[in-house]
Amino acid sequence: MGEEKESEIQEFKLEKDSELRFEIENNNETVVLEVKAGMAEIFGTELVKGKPYSFTTGAKVAVFTYHGCTIELKGRKNISYISKETPMMSYLNCHACLEKLRQKAEQEGGRGPVTMIVGPADVGKSTVSRILLNYAVRMRRRPVYVDLDIGQGAISVPGTMGAILVERPASIEEGGFSQQAPLVFNFGSVKYQSNLTLCNIITSRLAEVVQERLQSNKKANASGIIVNTAGWIKGDGYKLLTHAAQAFEVDVVLVLDQERLYNELVRDMPNFVRIVLLPKSGGVVERSVSYRQEMRDKRVREYFYGSGGGAAAAAQGVRGASLHPHSFDVKWSDLKIYKIGAPALPDSCMPLGMKAEDNMTKLVAVQPGLNLLHHLLAVSFASSAEEDVINSNVAGFVCVTAVDTDRQTLTILSPQPRPLPDTLLIMCDIQFMDNH
Ligand code: ATP
């Protein structure tokens, strides 16, 4: 009831080329936004005038207008301010250049621009990806969104890399693109360092499958690809980036906010790759380690339960709808669980002809037990360890919510009803406490 009292309505008048930024920090809070007059967009998705949009705890939002508008915010007073200093014109120019390349590709029946977005942590890489994808799809393009950032798991759960065909703008409230048939590869951890070899293999495979699929979709092929990357840009992180650039055969690299990285890429990339340095937005909010962890948990929870966005969200596709996962017991003996990567041995201890890095791609059988509690298991499309498991994408994920050592069973939380498909399960480092 106290909260009711503090609830208030604020009205903001925005001039052209300015944005209203707001953050919701307190727990269990909702802010409702409405455009009263004019036109506005959130990270490239247009807002409908007179329609209420709800945002909850953790939201960090910018409402941008090219022509001026009036916006109302309803809820407890949060951090909110108007900024006239935004890099949106630079981002719009980038979009215009990509659009020219798409037109050329369309005329010549070729491939549209493959654009990779790089930069340190918290510079707005995911946001710029979202803006460029939204602008493309608003021009009736069908770009592919590739997310290589295993820390966030924007396309599936954290610990994965994936790709989707973008057919409509991102949802305003959930922020994501709707996800029919995502292509997902499991890395199984949020730390690239845990297995650089695997990371490079998955990146190459993802690039290969995306290119294959584009061959049979002319419209998507001419629209090109937007590749979002992680903020690890030094040392091995930089090597992963250049490997990804090569694997995806990028045409354009957009470097956010870092001249040093820009210069390194100019030095190391082939001449035909255009490297562009872009400013970051002053609105991008730095996120703490604990906030990132919370967001990861939220992503996994949404994967199983949906984000409960109500009927409107449900109408926008699977993501955002309230989902009803299944929970059931399975016998240990009915499961084939593996882990990728055996403990590292020095080259001198390896059998003749094998290198230590071969160990990193080895499938190791996992004996079910308490070691699996709360872990995510990737449901592979591979049905036996003899198949090329690492190069197979995954059907989805289940979570082990309980282990019964007497009955030798696992309780599984699964988006699909029983039985589990008769395929391999790959144990991930990612854990999720199901306290729904
Ligand atoms: P990382 O790679 O470190 O995960 P990133 O560089 O991809 O991060 P984003 O996720 O795009 O960064 O942005 C960080 C946060 O800042 C997000 O919560 C996003 O919503 C917010 N944000 C981005 N641009 C703005 C803006 N102009 N005003 C307010 N908030 C913003």
Side-chain angles (χ1 to χ4, degrees), residues 95 98 102 113-117 125-126 128-134 136 143-148 155 162-164 166 223-229 248 250 254:
H95 162 71
L98 295 179
R102 292 183 187 119
V114 179
T115 310
M116 188 162 102
I117 296 160
K125 296 180 295 298
S126 309
V128 172
S129 307
R130 183 169 155 188
I131 292 170
L132 294 176
L133 288 161
N134 277 332
V144 170
Y145 175 35
V146 169
D147 191 20
L148 301 181
I155 289 181
I164 44 170
V166 178
S223 303
I225 309 175
I226 302 281
V227 185
N228 186 27
T229 60
F248 281 91
V250 297
L254 304 178

PDB file of all heavy atoms in Angstrom, residues 95 98 102 113-117 125-126 128-134 136 143-148 155 162-164 166 223-229 248 250 254:
ATOM      1  N   HIS A  95      23.505   1.780 -40.597  1.00  0.00           N
ATOM      2  CA  HIS A  95      22.385   1.030 -41.178  1.00  0.00           C
ATOM      3  C   HIS A  95      22.234   1.378 -42.662  1.00  0.00           C
ATOM      4  O   HIS A  95      22.044   0.488 -43.495  1.00  0.00           O
ATOM      5  CB  HIS A  95      21.094   1.347 -40.416  1.00  0.00           C
ATOM      6  CG  HIS A  95      19.866   0.996 -41.172  1.00  0.00           C
ATOM      7  ND1 HIS A  95      19.492  -0.307 -41.396  1.00  0.00           N
ATOM      8  CD2 HIS A  95      18.959   1.768 -41.837  1.00  0.00           C
ATOM      9  CE1 HIS A  95      18.404  -0.318 -42.142  1.00  0.00           C
ATOM     10  NE2 HIS A  95      18.061   0.926 -42.421  1.00  0.00           N
ATOM     11  N   LEU A  98      24.829  -0.383 -44.689  1.00  0.00           N
ATOM     12  CA  LEU A  98      24.527  -1.821 -44.804  1.00  0.00           C
ATOM     13  C   LEU A  98      23.389  -2.026 -45.801  1.00  0.00           C
ATOM     14  O   LEU A  98      23.394  -2.985 -46.584  1.00  0.00           O
ATOM     15  CB  LEU A  98      24.151  -2.405 -43.437  1.00  0.00           C
ATOM     16  CG  LEU A  98      25.255  -2.407 -42.374  1.00  0.00           C
ATOM     17  CD1 LEU A  98      24.749  -2.981 -41.056  1.00  0.00           C
ATOM     18  CD2 LEU A  98      26.462  -3.209 -42.860  1.00  0.00           C
ATOM     19  N   ARG A 102      23.056  -4.363 -49.060  1.00  0.00           N
ATOM     20  CA  ARG A 102      21.969  -5.350 -49.234  1.00  0.00           C
ATOM     21  C   ARG A 102      21.314  -5.173 -50.604  1.00  0.00           C
ATOM     22  O   ARG A 102      21.002  -6.160 -51.283  1.00  0.00           O
ATOM     23  CB  ARG A 102      20.913  -5.189 -48.129  1.00  0.00           C
ATOM     24  CG  ARG A 102      21.426  -5.585 -46.770  1.00  0.00           C
ATOM     25  CD  ARG A 102      20.339  -5.475 -45.695  1.00  0.00           C
ATOM     26  NE  ARG A 102      20.931  -5.718 -44.389  1.00  0.00           N
ATOM     27  CZ  ARG A 102      20.954  -4.841 -43.395  1.00  0.00           C
ATOM     28  NH1 ARG A 102      20.359  -3.674 -43.506  1.00  0.00           N
ATOM     29  NH2 ARG A 102      21.538  -5.150 -42.254  1.00  0.00           N
ATOM     30  N   PRO A 113      25.677  -8.033 -46.485  1.00  0.00           N
ATOM     31  CA  PRO A 113      26.828  -7.784 -45.606  1.00  0.00           C
ATOM     32  C   PRO A 113      26.809  -8.623 -44.334  1.00  0.00           C
ATOM     33  O   PRO A 113      25.778  -8.772 -43.695  1.00  0.00           O
ATOM     34  CB  PRO A 113      26.668  -6.297 -45.252  1.00  0.00           C
ATOM     35  CG  PRO A 113      25.212  -6.007 -45.442  1.00  0.00           C
ATOM     36  CD  PRO A 113      24.768  -6.883 -46.566  1.00  0.00           C
ATOM     37  N   VAL A 114      27.975  -9.165 -44.012  1.00  0.00           N
ATOM     38  CA  VAL A 114      28.131  -9.848 -42.724  1.00  0.00           C
ATOM     39  C   VAL A 114      28.862  -8.861 -41.813  1.00  0.00           C
ATOM     40  O   VAL A 114      29.992  -8.465 -42.084  1.00  0.00           O
ATOM     41  CB  VAL A 114      28.936 -11.154 -42.867  1.00  0.00           C
ATOM     42  CG1 VAL A 114      29.099 -11.830 -41.505  1.00  0.00           C
ATOM     43  CG2 VAL A 114      28.244 -12.091 -43.837  1.00  0.00           C
ATOM     44  N   THR A 115      28.177  -8.444 -40.757  1.00  0.00           N
ATOM     45  CA  THR A 115      28.683  -7.376 -39.891  1.00  0.00           C
ATOM     46  C   THR A 115      28.937  -7.919 -38.502  1.00  0.00           C
ATOM     47  O   THR A 115      28.052  -8.525 -37.906  1.00  0.00           O
ATOM     48  CB  THR A 115      27.624  -6.251 -39.791  1.00  0.00           C
ATOM     49  OG1 THR A 115      27.208  -5.906 -41.098  1.00  0.00           O
ATOM     50  CG2 THR A 115      28.155  -5.036 -39.062  1.00  0.00           C
ATOM     51  N   MET A 116      30.134  -7.709 -38.013  1.00  0.00           N
ATOM     52  CA  MET A 116      30.447  -8.184 -36.664  1.00  0.00           C
ATOM     53  C   MET A 116      30.597  -6.972 -35.746  1.00  0.00           C
ATOM     54  O   MET A 116      31.230  -5.987 -36.116  1.00  0.00           O
ATOM     55  CB  MET A 116      31.734  -8.996 -36.711  1.00  0.00           C
ATOM     56  CG  MET A 116      32.049  -9.683 -35.420  1.00  0.00           C
ATOM     57  SD  MET A 116      33.245 -11.016 -35.687  1.00  0.00           S
ATOM     58  CE  MET A 116      34.705 -10.229 -35.122  1.00  0.00           C
ATOM     59  N   ILE A 117      30.006  -7.045 -34.567  1.00  0.00           N
ATOM     60  CA  ILE A 117      30.054  -5.916 -33.639  1.00  0.00           C
ATOM     61  C   ILE A 117      30.953  -6.293 -32.462  1.00  0.00           C
ATOM     62  O   ILE A 117      30.707  -7.302 -31.792  1.00  0.00           O
ATOM     63  CB  ILE A 117      28.634  -5.560 -33.192  1.00  0.00           C
ATOM     64  CG1 ILE A 117      27.878  -5.102 -34.446  1.00  0.00           C
ATOM     65  CG2 ILE A 117      28.634  -4.458 -32.138  1.00  0.00           C
ATOM     66  CD1 ILE A 117      26.444  -5.143 -34.375  1.00  0.00           C
ATOM     67  N   LYS A 125      27.138  -3.344 -27.256  1.00  0.00           N
ATOM     68  CA  LYS A 125      27.230  -4.197 -28.453  1.00  0.00           C
ATOM     69  C   LYS A 125      25.886  -4.874 -28.761  1.00  0.00           C
ATOM     70  O   LYS A 125      25.424  -4.840 -29.896  1.00  0.00           O
ATOM     71  CB  LYS A 125      28.310  -5.276 -28.275  1.00  0.00           C
ATOM     72  CG  LYS A 125      29.710  -4.722 -28.136  1.00  0.00           C
ATOM     73  CD  LYS A 125      30.728  -5.813 -27.956  1.00  0.00           C
ATOM     74  CE  LYS A 125      30.550  -6.586 -26.663  1.00  0.00           C
ATOM     75  NZ  LYS A 125      30.691  -5.771 -25.443  1.00  0.00           N
ATOM     76  N   SER A 126      25.296  -5.463 -27.714  1.00  0.00           N
ATOM     77  CA  SER A 126      24.003  -6.146 -27.936  1.00  0.00           C
ATOM     78  C   SER A 126      22.957  -5.131 -28.381  1.00  0.00           C
ATOM     79  O   SER A 126      22.116  -5.429 -29.239  1.00  0.00           O
ATOM     80  CB  SER A 126      23.513  -6.813 -26.654  1.00  0.00           C
ATOM     81  OG  SER A 126      24.522  -7.603 -26.112  1.00  0.00           O
ATOM     82  N   VAL A 128      23.440  -2.261 -30.051  1.00  0.00           N
ATOM     83  CA  VAL A 128      23.660  -1.856 -31.442  1.00  0.00           C
ATOM     84  C   VAL A 128      23.215  -2.982 -32.387  1.00  0.00           C
ATOM     85  O   VAL A 128      22.590  -2.732 -33.425  1.00  0.00           O
ATOM     86  CB  VAL A 128      25.138  -1.462 -31.690  1.00  0.00           C
ATOM     87  CG1 VAL A 128      25.414  -1.240 -33.168  1.00  0.00           C
ATOM     88  CG2 VAL A 128      25.478  -0.208 -30.900  1.00  0.00           C
ATOM     89  N   SER A 129      23.488  -4.235 -32.000  1.00  0.00           N
ATOM     90  CA  SER A 129      23.025  -5.369 -32.820  1.00  0.00           C
ATOM     91  C   SER A 129      21.503  -5.291 -32.965  1.00  0.00           C
ATOM     92  O   SER A 129      20.965  -5.427 -34.066  1.00  0.00           O
ATOM     93  CB  SER A 129      23.350  -6.717 -32.165  1.00  0.00           C
ATOM     94  OG  SER A 129      24.699  -6.805 -31.847  1.00  0.00           O
ATOM     95  N   ARG A 130      20.862  -5.069 -31.818  1.00  0.00           N
ATOM     96  CA  ARG A 130      19.393  -5.031 -31.829  1.00  0.00           C
ATOM     97  C   ARG A 130      18.873  -3.889 -32.709  1.00  0.00           C
ATOM     98  O   ARG A 130      17.941  -4.073 -33.494  1.00  0.00           O
ATOM     99  CB  ARG A 130      18.927  -4.864 -30.376  1.00  0.00           C
ATOM    100  CG  ARG A 130      17.443  -4.869 -30.175  1.00  0.00           C
ATOM    101  CD  ARG A 130      17.174  -4.978 -28.668  1.00  0.00           C
ATOM    102  NE  ARG A 130      15.903  -4.431 -28.298  1.00  0.00           N
ATOM    103  CZ  ARG A 130      15.507  -4.264 -27.035  1.00  0.00           C
ATOM    104  NH1 ARG A 130      16.305  -4.594 -26.042  1.00  0.00           N
ATOM    105  NH2 ARG A 130      14.311  -3.760 -26.758  1.00  0.00           N
ATOM    106  N   ILE A 131      19.504  -2.715 -32.598  1.00  0.00           N
ATOM    107  CA  ILE A 131      19.071  -1.559 -33.398  1.00  0.00           C
ATOM    108  C   ILE A 131      19.226  -1.866 -34.894  1.00  0.00           C
ATOM    109  O   ILE A 131      18.306  -1.664 -35.683  1.00  0.00           O
ATOM    110  CB  ILE A 131      19.888  -0.296 -33.012  1.00  0.00           C
ATOM    111  CG1 ILE A 131      19.525   0.144 -31.589  1.00  0.00           C
ATOM    112  CG2 ILE A 131      19.654   0.842 -34.003  1.00  0.00           C
ATOM    113  CD1 ILE A 131      20.436   1.231 -31.012  1.00  0.00           C
ATOM    114  N   LEU A 132      20.389  -2.396 -35.277  1.00  0.00           N
ATOM    115  CA  LEU A 132      20.633  -2.658 -36.708  1.00  0.00           C
ATOM    116  C   LEU A 132      19.699  -3.741 -37.258  1.00  0.00           C
ATOM    117  O   LEU A 132      19.223  -3.648 -38.391  1.00  0.00           O
ATOM    118  CB  LEU A 132      22.094  -3.045 -36.937  1.00  0.00           C
ATOM    119  CG  LEU A 132      23.117  -1.934 -36.657  1.00  0.00           C
ATOM    120  CD1 LEU A 132      24.538  -2.448 -36.817  1.00  0.00           C
ATOM    121  CD2 LEU A 132      22.894  -0.728 -37.582  1.00  0.00           C
ATOM    122  N   LEU A 133      19.423  -4.755 -36.428  1.00  0.00           N
ATOM    123  CA  LEU A 133      18.498  -5.810 -36.870  1.00  0.00           C
ATOM    124  C   LEU A 133      17.093  -5.242 -37.016  1.00  0.00           C
ATOM    125  O   LEU A 133      16.387  -5.517 -37.998  1.00  0.00           O
ATOM    126  CB  LEU A 133      18.493  -6.970 -35.868  1.00  0.00           C
ATOM    127  CG  LEU A 133      19.755  -7.829 -35.862  1.00  0.00           C
ATOM    128  CD1 LEU A 133      19.864  -8.623 -34.570  1.00  0.00           C
ATOM    129  CD2 LEU A 133      19.762  -8.773 -37.070  1.00  0.00           C
ATOM    130  N   ASN A 134      16.684  -4.439 -36.036  1.00  0.00           N
ATOM    131  CA  ASN A 134      15.352  -3.840 -36.106  1.00  0.00           C
ATOM    132  C   ASN A 134      15.202  -2.954 -37.327  1.00  0.00           C
ATOM    133  O   ASN A 134      14.190  -3.004 -38.020  1.00  0.00           O
ATOM    134  CB  ASN A 134      15.078  -3.011 -34.837  1.00  0.00           C
ATOM    135  CG  ASN A 134      14.591  -3.882 -33.691  1.00  0.00           C
ATOM    136  OD1 ASN A 134      13.988  -4.930 -33.913  1.00  0.00           O
ATOM    137  ND2 ASN A 134      14.838  -3.452 -32.472  1.00  0.00           N
ATOM    138  N   ALA A 136      16.832  -3.156 -40.082  1.00  0.00           N
ATOM    139  CA  ALA A 136      16.825  -3.997 -41.282  1.00  0.00           C
ATOM    140  C   ALA A 136      15.445  -4.612 -41.495  1.00  0.00           C
ATOM    141  O   ALA A 136      14.893  -4.572 -42.595  1.00  0.00           O
ATOM    142  CB  ALA A 136      17.889  -5.087 -41.166  1.00  0.00           C
ATOM    143  N   PRO A 143      17.316 -10.403 -41.863  1.00  0.00           N
ATOM    144  CA  PRO A 143      18.706 -10.675 -41.503  1.00  0.00           C
ATOM    145  C   PRO A 143      18.819 -11.850 -40.522  1.00  0.00           C
ATOM    146  O   PRO A 143      17.852 -12.197 -39.843  1.00  0.00           O
ATOM    147  CB  PRO A 143      19.149  -9.380 -40.813  1.00  0.00           C
ATOM    148  CG  PRO A 143      17.878  -8.817 -40.246  1.00  0.00           C
ATOM    149  CD  PRO A 143      16.774  -9.218 -41.192  1.00  0.00           C
ATOM    150  N   VAL A 144      19.997 -12.418 -40.459  1.00  0.00           N
ATOM    151  CA  VAL A 144      20.260 -13.457 -39.463  1.00  0.00           C
ATOM    152  C   VAL A 144      21.001 -12.801 -38.294  1.00  0.00           C
ATOM    153  O   VAL A 144      21.910 -12.000 -38.500  1.00  0.00           O
ATOM    154  CB  VAL A 144      21.101 -14.597 -40.061  1.00  0.00           C
ATOM    155  CG1 VAL A 144      21.583 -15.557 -38.972  1.00  0.00           C
ATOM    156  CG2 VAL A 144      20.286 -15.353 -41.091  1.00  0.00           C
ATOM    157  N   TYR A 145      20.576 -13.123 -37.105  1.00  0.00           N
ATOM    158  CA  TYR A 145      21.247 -12.635 -35.903  1.00  0.00           C
ATOM    159  C   TYR A 145      22.066 -13.789 -35.332  1.00  0.00           C
ATOM    160  O   TYR A 145      21.519 -14.851 -35.045  1.00  0.00           O
ATOM    161  CB  TYR A 145      20.197 -12.166 -34.899  1.00  0.00           C
ATOM    162  CG  TYR A 145      20.739 -11.740 -33.548  1.00  0.00           C
ATOM    163  CD1 TYR A 145      21.973 -11.107 -33.423  1.00  0.00           C
ATOM    164  CD2 TYR A 145      19.994 -11.941 -32.389  1.00  0.00           C
ATOM    165  CE1 TYR A 145      22.445 -10.699 -32.187  1.00  0.00           C
ATOM    166  CE2 TYR A 145      20.456 -11.530 -31.148  1.00  0.00           C
ATOM    167  CZ  TYR A 145      21.679 -10.913 -31.054  1.00  0.00           C
ATOM    168  OH  TYR A 145      22.152 -10.511 -29.835  1.00  0.00           O
ATOM    169  N   VAL A 146      23.369 -13.557 -35.219  1.00  0.00           N
ATOM    170  CA  VAL A 146      24.232 -14.566 -34.611  1.00  0.00           C
ATOM    171  C   VAL A 146      24.745 -14.004 -33.298  1.00  0.00           C
ATOM    172  O   VAL A 146      25.234 -12.874 -33.250  1.00  0.00           O
ATOM    173  CB  VAL A 146      25.432 -14.882 -35.534  1.00  0.00           C
ATOM    174  CG1 VAL A 146      26.476 -15.713 -34.805  1.00  0.00           C
ATOM    175  CG2 VAL A 146      24.960 -15.613 -36.787  1.00  0.00           C
ATOM    176  N   ASP A 147      24.601 -14.752 -32.233  1.00  0.00           N
ATOM    177  CA  ASP A 147      25.125 -14.278 -30.955  1.00  0.00           C
ATOM    178  C   ASP A 147      26.217 -15.232 -30.475  1.00  0.00           C
ATOM    179  O   ASP A 147      25.955 -16.396 -30.197  1.00  0.00           O
ATOM    180  CB  ASP A 147      23.998 -14.194 -29.920  1.00  0.00           C
ATOM    181  CG  ASP A 147      24.480 -13.462 -28.675  1.00  0.00           C
ATOM    182  OD1 ASP A 147      25.478 -12.727 -28.763  1.00  0.00           O
ATOM    183  OD2 ASP A 147      23.862 -13.635 -27.606  1.00  0.00           O
ATOM    184  N   LEU A 148      27.436 -14.703 -30.397  1.00  0.00           N
ATOM    185  CA  LEU A 148      28.570 -15.529 -29.951  1.00  0.00           C
ATOM    186  C   LEU A 148      28.874 -15.295 -28.474  1.00  0.00           C
ATOM    187  O   LEU A 148      29.818 -15.870 -27.937  1.00  0.00           O
ATOM    188  CB  LEU A 148      29.817 -15.186 -30.786  1.00  0.00           C
ATOM    189  CG  LEU A 148      29.706 -15.377 -32.299  1.00  0.00           C
ATOM    190  CD1 LEU A 148      31.025 -15.010 -32.974  1.00  0.00           C
ATOM    191  CD2 LEU A 148      29.342 -16.823 -32.637  1.00  0.00           C
ATOM    192  N   ILE A 155      20.096 -16.059 -27.335  1.00  0.00           N
ATOM    193  CA  ILE A 155      19.283 -16.868 -28.249  1.00  0.00           C
ATOM    194  C   ILE A 155      18.757 -18.138 -27.577  1.00  0.00           C
ATOM    195  O   ILE A 155      17.693 -18.617 -27.896  1.00  0.00           O
ATOM    196  CB  ILE A 155      20.075 -17.159 -29.542  1.00  0.00           C
ATOM    197  CG1 ILE A 155      20.141 -15.823 -30.300  1.00  0.00           C
ATOM    198  CG2 ILE A 155      19.466 -18.268 -30.384  1.00  0.00           C
ATOM    199  CD1 ILE A 155      20.845 -15.830 -31.597  1.00  0.00           C
ATOM    200  N   GLY A 162      24.404 -19.067 -30.839  1.00  0.00           N
ATOM    201  CA  GLY A 162      23.273 -19.442 -31.677  1.00  0.00           C
ATOM    202  C   GLY A 162      22.976 -18.441 -32.766  1.00  0.00           C
ATOM    203  O   GLY A 162      23.611 -17.382 -32.867  1.00  0.00           O
ATOM    204  N   ALA A 163      22.000 -18.803 -33.583  1.00  0.00           N
ATOM    205  CA  ALA A 163      21.583 -17.938 -34.687  1.00  0.00           C
ATOM    206  C   ALA A 163      20.079 -18.042 -34.879  1.00  0.00           C
ATOM    207  O   ALA A 163      19.491 -19.113 -34.673  1.00  0.00           O
ATOM    208  CB  ALA A 163      22.295 -18.373 -35.974  1.00  0.00           C
ATOM    209  N   ILE A 164      19.472 -16.922 -35.230  1.00  0.00           N
ATOM    210  CA  ILE A 164      18.046 -16.937 -35.602  1.00  0.00           C
ATOM    211  C   ILE A 164      17.845 -16.054 -36.835  1.00  0.00           C
ATOM    212  O   ILE A 164      18.592 -15.105 -37.056  1.00  0.00           O
ATOM    213  CB  ILE A 164      17.098 -16.410 -34.484  1.00  0.00           C
ATOM    214  CG1 ILE A 164      17.669 -15.145 -33.837  1.00  0.00           C
ATOM    215  CG2 ILE A 164      16.760 -17.466 -33.476  1.00  0.00           C
ATOM    216  CD1 ILE A 164      16.695 -14.452 -32.923  1.00  0.00           C
ATOM    217  N   VAL A 166      15.725 -13.226 -38.298  1.00  0.00           N
ATOM    218  CA  VAL A 166      14.878 -12.193 -37.693  1.00  0.00           C
ATOM    219  C   VAL A 166      13.806 -11.780 -38.701  1.00  0.00           C
ATOM    220  O   VAL A 166      14.112 -11.317 -39.794  1.00  0.00           O
ATOM    221  CB  VAL A 166      15.733 -10.984 -37.261  1.00  0.00           C
ATOM    222  CG1 VAL A 166      14.863  -9.890 -36.680  1.00  0.00           C
ATOM    223  CG2 VAL A 166      16.771 -11.434 -36.240  1.00  0.00           C
ATOM    224  N   SER A 223      20.039 -10.186 -47.149  1.00  0.00           N
ATOM    225  CA  SER A 223      19.902  -9.307 -45.965  1.00  0.00           C
ATOM    226  C   SER A 223      21.150  -9.321 -45.089  1.00  0.00           C
ATOM    227  O   SER A 223      21.385  -8.398 -44.322  1.00  0.00           O
ATOM    228  CB  SER A 223      18.695  -9.738 -45.126  1.00  0.00           C
ATOM    229  OG  SER A 223      17.524  -9.728 -45.901  1.00  0.00           O
ATOM    230  N   GLY A 224      21.906 -10.419 -45.168  1.00  0.00           N
ATOM    231  CA  GLY A 224      23.163 -10.488 -44.434  1.00  0.00           C
ATOM    232  C   GLY A 224      23.011 -10.940 -42.987  1.00  0.00           C
ATOM    233  O   GLY A 224      21.949 -11.396 -42.559  1.00  0.00           O
ATOM    234  N   ILE A 225      24.102 -10.792 -42.261  1.00  0.00           N
ATOM    235  CA  ILE A 225      24.177 -11.332 -40.891  1.00  0.00           C
ATOM    236  C   ILE A 225      24.690 -10.244 -39.953  1.00  0.00           C
ATOM    237  O   ILE A 225      25.577  -9.469 -40.329  1.00  0.00           O
ATOM    238  CB  ILE A 225      25.159 -12.532 -40.842  1.00  0.00           C
ATOM    239  CG1 ILE A 225      24.827 -13.563 -41.929  1.00  0.00           C
ATOM    240  CG2 ILE A 225      25.165 -13.183 -39.468  1.00  0.00           C
ATOM    241  CD1 ILE A 225      25.827 -14.721 -42.008  1.00  0.00           C
ATOM    242  N   ILE A 226      24.146 -10.200 -38.769  1.00  0.00           N
ATOM    243  CA  ILE A 226      24.697  -9.340 -37.708  1.00  0.00           C
ATOM    244  C   ILE A 226      25.249 -10.273 -36.630  1.00  0.00           C
ATOM    245  O   ILE A 226      24.506 -11.094 -36.080  1.00  0.00           O
ATOM    246  CB  ILE A 226      23.609  -8.433 -37.081  1.00  0.00           C
ATOM    247  CG1 ILE A 226      22.935  -7.527 -38.128  1.00  0.00           C
ATOM    248  CG2 ILE A 226      24.170  -7.634 -35.904  1.00  0.00           C
ATOM    249  CD1 ILE A 226      23.702  -6.305 -38.539  1.00  0.00           C
ATOM    250  N   VAL A 227      26.541 -10.167 -36.378  1.00  0.00           N
ATOM    251  CA  VAL A 227      27.179 -11.063 -35.401  1.00  0.00           C
ATOM    252  C   VAL A 227      27.533 -10.267 -34.147  1.00  0.00           C
ATOM    253  O   VAL A 227      28.351  -9.340 -34.194  1.00  0.00           O
ATOM    254  CB  VAL A 227      28.478 -11.681 -35.975  1.00  0.00           C
ATOM    255  CG1 VAL A 227      29.068 -12.697 -35.001  1.00  0.00           C
ATOM    256  CG2 VAL A 227      28.236 -12.319 -37.333  1.00  0.00           C
ATOM    257  N   ASN A 228      26.913 -10.623 -33.042  1.00  0.00           N
ATOM    258  CA  ASN A 228      27.237  -9.976 -31.762  1.00  0.00           C
ATOM    259  C   ASN A 228      28.311 -10.802 -31.049  1.00  0.00           C
ATOM    260  O   ASN A 228      28.321 -12.025 -31.132  1.00  0.00           O
ATOM    261  CB  ASN A 228      25.969  -9.902 -30.904  1.00  0.00           C
ATOM    262  CG  ASN A 228      26.183  -9.124 -29.628  1.00  0.00           C
ATOM    263  OD1 ASN A 228      27.046  -8.246 -29.555  1.00  0.00           O
ATOM    264  ND2 ASN A 228      25.405  -9.436 -28.600  1.00  0.00           N
ATOM    265  N   THR A 229      29.215 -10.117 -30.373  1.00  0.00           N
ATOM    266  CA  THR A 229      30.333 -10.840 -29.744  1.00  0.00           C
ATOM    267  C   THR A 229      30.444 -10.474 -28.265  1.00  0.00           C
ATOM    268  O   THR A 229      29.757  -9.576 -27.787  1.00  0.00           O
ATOM    269  CB  THR A 229      31.662 -10.468 -30.435  1.00  0.00           C
ATOM    270  OG1 THR A 229      31.858  -9.061 -30.291  1.00  0.00           O
ATOM    271  CG2 THR A 229      31.662 -10.829 -31.910  1.00  0.00           C
ATOM    272  N   PHE A 248      33.089 -16.433 -40.226  1.00  0.00           N
ATOM    273  CA  PHE A 248      31.868 -15.868 -40.808  1.00  0.00           C
ATOM    274  C   PHE A 248      32.144 -15.070 -42.084  1.00  0.00           C
ATOM    275  O   PHE A 248      31.234 -14.535 -42.682  1.00  0.00           O
ATOM    276  CB  PHE A 248      31.128 -15.002 -39.782  1.00  0.00           C
ATOM    277  CG  PHE A 248      30.329 -15.828 -38.810  1.00  0.00           C
ATOM    278  CD1 PHE A 248      30.882 -16.265 -37.622  1.00  0.00           C
ATOM    279  CD2 PHE A 248      29.032 -16.204 -39.107  1.00  0.00           C
ATOM    280  CE1 PHE A 248      30.150 -17.057 -36.742  1.00  0.00           C
ATOM    281  CE2 PHE A 248      28.286 -16.997 -38.243  1.00  0.00           C
ATOM    282  CZ  PHE A 248      28.851 -17.422 -37.053  1.00  0.00           C
ATOM    283  N   VAL A 250      33.497 -12.075 -42.498  1.00  0.00           N
ATOM    284  CA  VAL A 250      32.845 -10.777 -42.288  1.00  0.00           C
ATOM    285  C   VAL A 250      33.269  -9.757 -43.348  1.00  0.00           C
ATOM    286  O   VAL A 250      34.388  -9.805 -43.877  1.00  0.00           O
ATOM    287  CB  VAL A 250      33.128 -10.190 -40.887  1.00  0.00           C
ATOM    288  CG1 VAL A 250      32.577 -11.085 -39.791  1.00  0.00           C
ATOM    289  CG2 VAL A 250      34.592  -9.918 -40.685  1.00  0.00           C
ATOM    290  N   LEU A 254      32.216  -3.445 -36.827  1.00  0.00           N
ATOM    291  CA  LEU A 254      31.920  -2.201 -36.116  1.00  0.00           C
ATOM    292  C   LEU A 254      32.569  -2.291 -34.743  1.00  0.00           C
ATOM    293  O   LEU A 254      32.260  -3.202 -33.963  1.00  0.00           O
ATOM    294  CB  LEU A 254      30.409  -2.012 -35.959  1.00  0.00           C
ATOM    295  CG  LEU A 254      29.590  -2.029 -37.264  1.00  0.00           C
ATOM    296  CD1 LEU A 254      28.103  -1.872 -36.957  1.00  0.00           C
ATOM    297  CD2 LEU A 254      30.059  -0.924 -38.198  1.00  0.00           C
TER     298      LEU A 254
END
